[in-house]
């Protein structure tokens, strides 16, 4: 992210205000920059748990699957608790 972005100011520097519209716009801008700079990406992986609320926005803008801590938890949960399709 840009050095003056509100996302790191909020989640790293402890800024007390949370403007989700601004954070969403920053995530979309970062996604667009990533898509312009990366040839043929297959997916996006969030390394920060605070990015999870914007997964659907990033997926919509990029057209790619987005993996985050929630998808990891759901993956393991479903492995431990399979859906009983044929009961």
């Amino acid at each position: 992210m840009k050095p003056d972005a509100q996302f790191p100011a909020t989640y790293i520097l402890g800024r007390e205000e949370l403007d989700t519209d601004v954070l969403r716009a920053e995530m979309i801008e970062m996604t667009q920059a990533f898509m312009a700079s990366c040839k043929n990406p297959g997916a996006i992986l969030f390394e920060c748990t605070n990015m999870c609320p914007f997964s659907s926005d990033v997926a919509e803008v990029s057209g790619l699957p987005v993996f985050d801590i929630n998808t990891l938890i759901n993956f393991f949960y479903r492995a431990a608790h399979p859906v009983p399709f044929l009961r």
Side-chain angles (χ1 to χ4, degrees):
M1 294 204 161
K2 294 179 180 179
D4 64 339
Q6 294 304 303
F7 199 96
T10 300
Y11 293 113
I12 297 171
L13 301 177
R15 183 173 166 231
E16 294 185 15
E17 296 175 22
L18 178 69
D19 187 337
T20 55
D21 292 332
V22 170
L23 299 179
R24 178 178 290 107
E26 289 179 349
M27 290 294 295
I28 290 171
E29 181 182 353
M30 187 173 67
T31 302
Q32 292 167 331
F34 168 74
M35 295 302 291
S37 69
C38 186
K39 285 187 175 183
N40 199 25
I44 294 176
L45 172 63
F46 286 164
E47 52 80 29
C48 175
T49 58
N50 294 315
M51 294 178 174
C52 296
F54 309 102
S55 293
S56 63
D57 299 302
V58 171
E60 184 178 329
V61 169
S62 67
L64 297 173
V66 177
F67 296 92
D68 57 35
I69 190 66
N70 292 315
T71 55
L72 179 66
I73 290 168
N74 287 325
F75 175 79
F76 283 108
Y77 178 82
R78 280 287 158 228
H81 302 92
V83 176
F85 289 104
L86 301 174
R87 284 201 180 189

